[in-house]
Amino acid sequence: MHLFISGYLEANHQWGFGVSRYVWAVMPSLGDWVYALGFMLGGEPSVRLINVAFILLLALLIRRLAIWAFSSEQAGLWSAALFLSTPLTFTLSSSLFIESIWASYVVGGLYCLFRLGDAGDRVTHCLIGSGLLLGFACAAKAVTLAMAPVLLIAFLAQARRWISRDAIVPLLIGGGGFSLLGSVPYVRAWLISGNPVFPFYNGIFKSEYFPPENFSQPHFMRGFSWDTIYQITFDSGKYLEASAGASGFQWLLLLCGGIAALLLTHRWRGAWIALIGILMVAAVFQHQSYLQYIFPATILLAMPIGGAYATVFSSTAAMRWPSYALF
């Protein structure tokens, strides 16, 4: 599916955004356009290399974010190793889904937001960087809009630590970049179809190109409850086209203990990252309980476990293991 635009471009030298023929023709598809660049240059092998490159970029982002949260190189290595060894990561890295591209924008934007509180003279870079990256995320996948309240919380939580008269211009530039880049596919969809999120919520917008009802995916339920981690682990087929254990067993075995360890040792940055990850899962699952849609959240939730491992396995010999796992 994610190579369709690339193949169409190669055959026809244009993409017509024909909503009367393709129901997803005007959906946010920045990831598919990134793939199209590689496909036109080197075919499907180039696209697969692009996908793997973004997975490795995510591992680098995880490492840097974990080092910021725990002031420990080993926490970064453990977190990155956990991410790379997760079945969901393997599934997405060995396929042509665009979650690796989308998650890179989301996690990169969040990294800039988390760093705002202690960025010092780099507040300008963080504000502009977060605006641009999160704008790209909105242009890559509409589910970013479901995460918007959580992203706003992450932004506002540290505002008093960085807000100043000097930050107003960078804030406007970052906000303008976010609005401009993120709104492109939705404005285009509205102008072409009459529905800015076509074909979703067409019961509200009533585009003539789709039945006047809200589009829904019947195969995956909605909702977030106390046993969601258990259900994801042992009944993964309700959350992904996969068998039991597709999400990885570490969430059930280690996540709660890792968060508890952060709270007991007063690792507040790590606990804050974990809270944002949990809120992202809850927000997305209110719309669609699909594992690929919470890929950025799983990246954030790998860090509490990585931080806990770095604390427990503190001996020099044990700390070599994450390096072995990565290479």
Side-chain angles (χ1 to χ4, degrees), residues 53-83:
F54 272 97
I55 290 291
L56 296 177
L57 175 61
L58 280 169
L60 177 62
L61 284 171
I62 294 167
R63 173 182 168 273
R64 296 191 65 172
L65 190 52
I67 291 174
W68 170 80
F70 301 103
S71 302
S72 167
E73 173 71 26
Q74 301 306 326
L77 290 174
W78 276 113
S79 299
L82 180 65
F83 163 71

mmCIF file of all heavy atoms in Angstrom, residues 53-83:
data_model
loop_
_atom_site.group_PDB
_atom_site.id
_atom_site.type_symbol
_atom_site.label_atom_id
_atom_site.label_comp_id
_atom_site.label_asym_id
_atom_site.label_seq_id
_atom_site.Cartn_x
_atom_site.Cartn_y
_atom_site.Cartn_z
ATOM 1 N N ALA A 53 16.872 2.986 7.935
ATOM 2 C CA ALA A 53 17.630 4.160 8.380
ATOM 3 C C ALA A 53 16.846 4.949 9.423
ATOM 4 O O ALA A 53 17.417 5.429 10.409
ATOM 5 C CB ALA A 53 17.957 5.047 7.176
ATOM 6 N N PHE A 54 15.530 5.074 9.245
ATOM 7 C CA PHE A 54 14.726 5.786 10.237
ATOM 8 C C PHE A 54 14.627 4.994 11.538
ATOM 9 O O PHE A 54 14.535 5.595 12.622
ATOM 10 C CB PHE A 54 13.332 6.077 9.669
ATOM 11 C CG PHE A 54 13.258 7.372 8.904
ATOM 12 C CD1 PHE A 54 13.375 7.386 7.527
ATOM 13 C CD2 PHE A 54 13.092 8.579 9.562
ATOM 14 C CE1 PHE A 54 13.313 8.576 6.811
ATOM 15 C CE2 PHE A 54 13.028 9.776 8.871
ATOM 16 C CZ PHE A 54 13.144 9.775 7.479
ATOM 17 N N ILE A 55 14.626 3.670 11.470
ATOM 18 C CA ILE A 55 14.646 2.859 12.695
ATOM 19 C C ILE A 55 15.933 3.121 13.472
ATOM 20 O O ILE A 55 15.913 3.303 14.703
ATOM 21 C CB ILE A 55 14.521 1.360 12.353
ATOM 22 C CG1 ILE A 55 13.117 1.034 11.838
ATOM 23 C CG2 ILE A 55 14.847 0.494 13.572
ATOM 24 C CD1 ILE A 55 12.019 1.129 12.863
ATOM 25 N N LEU A 56 17.057 3.176 12.779
ATOM 26 C CA LEU A 56 18.336 3.459 13.442
ATOM 27 C C LEU A 56 18.369 4.887 13.983
ATOM 28 O O LEU A 56 18.948 5.141 15.044
ATOM 29 C CB LEU A 56 19.489 3.230 12.465
ATOM 30 C CG LEU A 56 19.658 1.787 11.973
ATOM 31 C CD1 LEU A 56 20.792 1.695 10.956
ATOM 32 C CD2 LEU A 56 19.910 0.843 13.138
ATOM 33 N N LEU A 57 17.737 5.813 13.261
ATOM 34 C CA LEU A 57 17.633 7.183 13.761
ATOM 35 C C LEU A 57 16.831 7.216 15.057
ATOM 36 O O LEU A 57 17.172 7.934 16.003
ATOM 37 C CB LEU A 57 16.975 8.067 12.706
ATOM 38 C CG LEU A 57 16.673 9.517 13.118
ATOM 39 C CD1 LEU A 57 17.953 10.254 13.483
ATOM 40 C CD2 LEU A 57 15.937 10.254 12.007
ATOM 41 N N LEU A 58 15.763 6.418 15.124
ATOM 42 C CA LEU A 58 14.971 6.333 16.357
ATOM 43 C C LEU A 58 15.814 5.787 17.506
ATOM 44 O O LEU A 58 15.696 6.256 18.640
ATOM 45 C CB LEU A 58 13.749 5.442 16.124
ATOM 46 C CG LEU A 58 12.568 6.101 15.414
ATOM 47 C CD1 LEU A 58 11.535 5.058 15.005
ATOM 48 C CD2 LEU A 58 11.923 7.164 16.305
ATOM 49 N N ALA A 59 16.633 4.787 17.229
ATOM 50 C CA ALA A 59 17.506 4.245 18.280
ATOM 51 C C ALA A 59 18.439 5.328 18.806
ATOM 52 O O ALA A 59 18.694 5.415 20.020
ATOM 53 C CB ALA A 59 18.308 3.059 17.733
ATOM 54 N N LEU A 60 18.950 6.180 17.917
ATOM 55 C CA LEU A 60 19.816 7.285 18.338
ATOM 56 C C LEU A 60 19.040 8.290 19.179
ATOM 57 O O LEU A 60 19.539 8.772 20.210
ATOM 58 C CB LEU A 60 20.409 7.970 17.105
ATOM 59 C CG LEU A 60 21.279 9.197 17.367
ATOM 60 C CD1 LEU A 60 22.502 8.828 18.192
ATOM 61 C CD2 LEU A 60 21.711 9.831 16.040
ATOM 62 N N LEU A 61 17.813 8.606 18.764
ATOM 63 C CA LEU A 61 16.993 9.535 19.533
ATOM 64 C C LEU A 61 16.683 8.984 20.919
ATOM 65 O O LEU A 61 16.713 9.712 21.920
ATOM 66 C CB LEU A 61 15.685 9.810 18.782
ATOM 67 C CG LEU A 61 15.762 10.759 17.579
ATOM 68 C CD1 LEU A 61 14.450 10.749 16.806
ATOM 69 C CD2 LEU A 61 16.109 12.165 18.032
ATOM 70 N N ILE A 62 16.373 7.689 20.990
ATOM 71 C CA ILE A 62 16.097 7.059 22.285
ATOM 72 C C ILE A 62 17.314 7.156 23.188
ATOM 73 O O ILE A 62 17.208 7.485 24.377
ATOM 74 C CB ILE A 62 15.702 5.582 22.087
ATOM 75 C CG1 ILE A 62 14.374 5.486 21.356
ATOM 76 C CG2 ILE A 62 15.616 4.842 23.411
ATOM 77 C CD1 ILE A 62 14.069 4.094 20.862
ATOM 78 N N ARG A 63 18.460 6.857 22.637
ATOM 79 C CA ARG A 63 19.691 6.915 23.435
ATOM 80 C C ARG A 63 19.909 8.314 23.994
ATOM 81 O O ARG A 63 20.187 8.478 25.185
ATOM 82 C CB ARG A 63 20.872 6.490 22.570
ATOM 83 C CG ARG A 63 22.229 6.669 23.225
ATOM 84 C CD ARG A 63 23.356 6.270 22.285
ATOM 85 N NE ARG A 63 24.630 6.715 22.815
ATOM 86 C CZ ARG A 63 25.151 7.922 22.596
ATOM 87 N NH1 ARG A 63 24.487 8.811 21.857
ATOM 88 N NH2 ARG A 63 26.319 8.258 23.111
ATOM 89 N N ARG A 64 19.757 9.332 23.147
ATOM 90 C CA ARG A 64 20.005 10.698 23.600
ATOM 91 C C ARG A 64 18.964 11.148 24.625
ATOM 92 O O ARG A 64 19.294 11.835 25.589
ATOM 93 C CB ARG A 64 20.018 11.637 22.395
ATOM 94 C CG ARG A 64 21.138 11.362 21.419
ATOM 95 C CD ARG A 64 21.290 12.453 20.391
ATOM 96 N NE ARG A 64 21.688 13.710 21.016
ATOM 97 C CZ ARG A 64 22.047 14.795 20.346
ATOM 98 N NH1 ARG A 64 22.072 14.772 19.025
ATOM 99 N NH2 ARG A 64 22.380 15.900 20.967
ATOM 100 N N LEU A 65 17.711 10.750 24.424
ATOM 101 C CA LEU A 65 16.669 11.138 25.366
ATOM 102 C C LEU A 65 16.863 10.442 26.707
ATOM 103 O O LEU A 65 16.653 11.049 27.773
ATOM 104 C CB LEU A 65 15.297 10.788 24.772
ATOM 105 C CG LEU A 65 14.058 11.321 25.498
ATOM 106 C CD1 LEU A 65 14.161 12.817 25.735
ATOM 107 C CD2 LEU A 65 12.804 10.994 24.701
ATOM 108 N N ALA A 66 17.277 9.171 26.677
ATOM 109 C CA ALA A 66 17.521 8.449 27.926
ATOM 110 C C ALA A 66 18.723 9.025 28.673
ATOM 111 O O ALA A 66 18.716 9.109 29.906
ATOM 112 C CB ALA A 66 17.737 6.962 27.636
ATOM 113 N N ILE A 67 19.747 9.435 27.945
ATOM 114 C CA ILE A 67 20.904 10.065 28.591
ATOM 115 C C ILE A 67 20.481 11.370 29.252
ATOM 116 O O ILE A 67 20.905 11.688 30.376
ATOM 117 C CB ILE A 67 22.029 10.307 27.566
ATOM 118 C CG1 ILE A 67 22.627 8.969 27.120
ATOM 119 C CG2 ILE A 67 23.115 11.205 28.146
ATOM 120 C CD1 ILE A 67 23.644 9.100 25.995
ATOM 121 N N TRP A 68 19.621 12.139 28.577
ATOM 122 C CA TRP A 68 19.118 13.380 29.185
ATOM 123 C C TRP A 68 18.312 13.079 30.447
ATOM 124 O O TRP A 68 18.425 13.793 31.450
ATOM 125 C CB TRP A 68 18.237 14.116 28.166
ATOM 126 C CG TRP A 68 17.479 15.258 28.765
ATOM 127 C CD1 TRP A 68 17.948 16.506 29.041
ATOM 128 C CD2 TRP A 68 16.102 15.242 29.191
ATOM 129 N NE1 TRP A 68 16.956 17.280 29.607
ATOM 130 C CE2 TRP A 68 15.815 16.537 29.714
ATOM 131 C CE3 TRP A 68 15.098 14.287 29.177
ATOM 132 C CZ2 TRP A 68 14.553 16.871 30.214
ATOM 133 C CZ3 TRP A 68 13.847 14.614 29.663
ATOM 134 C CH2 TRP A 68 13.576 15.895 30.177
ATOM 135 N N ALA A 69 17.498 12.017 30.411
ATOM 136 C CA ALA A 69 16.613 11.715 31.537
ATOM 137 C C ALA A 69 17.365 11.137 32.727
ATOM 138 O O ALA A 69 17.020 11.421 33.878
ATOM 139 C CB ALA A 69 15.517 10.744 31.095
ATOM 140 N N PHE A 70 18.384 10.311 32.457
ATOM 141 C CA PHE A 70 19.029 9.568 33.548
ATOM 142 C C PHE A 70 20.487 9.945 33.760
ATOM 143 O O PHE A 70 21.128 9.403 34.662
ATOM 144 C CB PHE A 70 18.935 8.063 33.274
ATOM 145 C CG PHE A 70 17.528 7.567 33.130
ATOM 146 C CD1 PHE A 70 17.000 7.290 31.886
ATOM 147 C CD2 PHE A 70 16.726 7.397 34.247
ATOM 148 C CE1 PHE A 70 15.703 6.836 31.743
ATOM 149 C CE2 PHE A 70 15.424 6.943 34.123
ATOM 150 C CZ PHE A 70 14.910 6.664 32.859
ATOM 151 N N SER A 71 21.015 10.848 32.926
ATOM 152 C CA SER A 71 22.434 11.236 33.024
ATOM 153 C C SER A 71 23.329 10.006 33.012
ATOM 154 O O SER A 71 24.293 9.913 33.774
ATOM 155 C CB SER A 71 22.682 12.064 34.295
ATOM 156 O OG SER A 71 21.873 13.220 34.300
ATOM 157 N N SER A 72 23.005 9.059 32.166
ATOM 158 C CA SER A 72 23.733 7.793 32.126
ATOM 159 C C SER A 72 23.811 7.284 30.694
ATOM 160 O O SER A 72 22.777 7.086 30.040
ATOM 161 C CB SER A 72 23.027 6.756 33.006
ATOM 162 O OG SER A 72 23.525 5.458 32.770
ATOM 163 N N GLU A 73 25.022 7.079 30.218
ATOM 164 C CA GLU A 73 25.225 6.485 28.901
ATOM 165 C C GLU A 73 24.638 5.081 28.834
ATOM 166 O O GLU A 73 24.076 4.668 27.820
ATOM 167 C CB GLU A 73 26.728 6.449 28.584
ATOM 168 C CG GLU A 73 27.086 5.708 27.314
ATOM 169 C CD GLU A 73 26.666 6.458 26.056
ATOM 170 O OE1 GLU A 73 26.561 7.691 26.109
ATOM 171 O OE2 GLU A 73 26.452 5.791 25.023
ATOM 172 N N GLN A 74 24.758 4.346 29.942
ATOM 173 C CA GLN A 74 24.266 2.972 29.961
ATOM 174 C C GLN A 74 22.738 2.917 29.872
ATOM 175 O O GLN A 74 22.180 2.006 29.275
ATOM 176 C CB GLN A 74 24.761 2.269 31.234
ATOM 177 C CG GLN A 74 26.275 2.228 31.373
ATOM 178 C CD GLN A 74 26.949 1.624 30.153
ATOM 179 O OE1 GLN A 74 26.396 0.721 29.533
ATOM 180 N NE2 GLN A 74 28.121 2.119 29.800
ATOM 181 N N ALA A 75 22.062 3.887 30.472
ATOM 182 C CA ALA A 75 20.607 3.940 30.339
ATOM 183 C C ALA A 75 20.215 4.129 28.881
ATOM 184 O O ALA A 75 19.235 3.538 28.398
ATOM 185 C CB ALA A 75 20.043 5.065 31.192
ATOM 186 N N GLY A 76 20.989 4.938 28.165
ATOM 187 C CA GLY A 76 20.730 5.125 26.745
ATOM 188 C C GLY A 76 20.924 3.856 25.955
ATOM 189 O O GLY A 76 20.121 3.526 25.072
ATOM 190 N N LEU A 77 21.984 3.106 26.258
ATOM 191 C CA LEU A 77 22.241 1.858 25.551
ATOM 192 C C LEU A 77 21.173 0.807 25.846
ATOM 193 O O LEU A 77 20.699 0.111 24.948
ATOM 194 C CB LEU A 77 23.623 1.325 25.927
ATOM 195 C CG LEU A 77 24.813 2.125 25.392
ATOM 196 C CD1 LEU A 77 26.116 1.578 25.958
ATOM 197 C CD2 LEU A 77 24.834 2.086 23.871
ATOM 198 N N TRP A 78 20.790 0.685 27.126
ATOM 199 C CA TRP A 78 19.749 -0.276 27.479
ATOM 200 C C TRP A 78 18.419 0.063 26.802
ATOM 201 O O TRP A 78 17.715 -0.814 26.290
ATOM 202 C CB TRP A 78 19.559 -0.329 28.992
ATOM 203 C CG TRP A 78 20.518 -1.226 29.713
ATOM 204 C CD1 TRP A 78 21.499 -0.848 30.582
ATOM 205 C CD2 TRP A 78 20.595 -2.649 29.628
ATOM 206 N NE1 TRP A 78 22.181 -1.950 31.044
ATOM 207 C CE2 TRP A 78 21.648 -3.071 30.479
ATOM 208 C CE3 TRP A 78 19.884 -3.614 28.916
ATOM 209 C CZ2 TRP A 78 22.004 -4.401 30.626
ATOM 210 C CZ3 TRP A 78 20.235 -4.952 29.076
ATOM 211 C CH2 TRP A 78 21.281 -5.328 29.921
ATOM 212 N N SER A 79 18.063 1.324 26.787
ATOM 213 C CA SER A 79 16.795 1.745 26.180
ATOM 214 C C SER A 79 16.792 1.469 24.681
ATOM 215 O O SER A 79 15.804 0.968 24.123
ATOM 216 C CB SER A 79 16.547 3.234 26.439
ATOM 217 O OG SER A 79 16.470 3.509 27.824
ATOM 218 N N ALA A 80 17.905 1.796 24.011
ATOM 219 C CA ALA A 80 17.994 1.549 22.575
ATOM 220 C C ALA A 80 17.976 0.059 22.270
ATOM 221 O O ALA A 80 17.336 -0.383 21.299
ATOM 222 C CB ALA A 80 19.261 2.192 22.014
ATOM 223 N N ALA A 81 18.662 -0.743 23.099
ATOM 224 C CA ALA A 81 18.680 -2.195 22.888
ATOM 225 C C ALA A 81 17.286 -2.784 23.064
ATOM 226 O O ALA A 81 16.864 -3.659 22.299
ATOM 227 C CB ALA A 81 19.659 -2.844 23.858
ATOM 228 N N LEU A 82 16.557 -2.309 24.068
ATOM 229 C CA LEU A 82 15.199 -2.793 24.291
ATOM 230 C C LEU A 82 14.305 -2.442 23.098
ATOM 231 O O LEU A 82 13.517 -3.275 22.631
ATOM 232 C CB LEU A 82 14.630 -2.179 25.569
ATOM 233 C CG LEU A 82 13.207 -2.591 25.945
ATOM 234 C CD1 LEU A 82 13.147 -4.067 26.282
ATOM 235 C CD2 LEU A 82 12.702 -1.767 27.116
ATOM 236 N N PHE A 83 14.437 -1.229 22.595
ATOM 237 C CA PHE A 83 13.654 -0.826 21.436
ATOM 238 C C PHE A 83 13.948 -1.697 20.218
ATOM 239 O O PHE A 83 13.043 -2.186 19.543
ATOM 240 C CB PHE A 83 13.957 0.646 21.118
ATOM 241 C CG PHE A 83 13.554 1.074 19.738
ATOM 242 C CD1 PHE A 83 12.219 1.214 19.409
ATOM 243 C CD2 PHE A 83 14.525 1.350 18.778
ATOM 244 C CE1 PHE A 83 11.847 1.606 18.128
ATOM 245 C CE2 PHE A 83 14.162 1.740 17.501
ATOM 246 C CZ PHE A 83 12.821 1.869 17.170
#
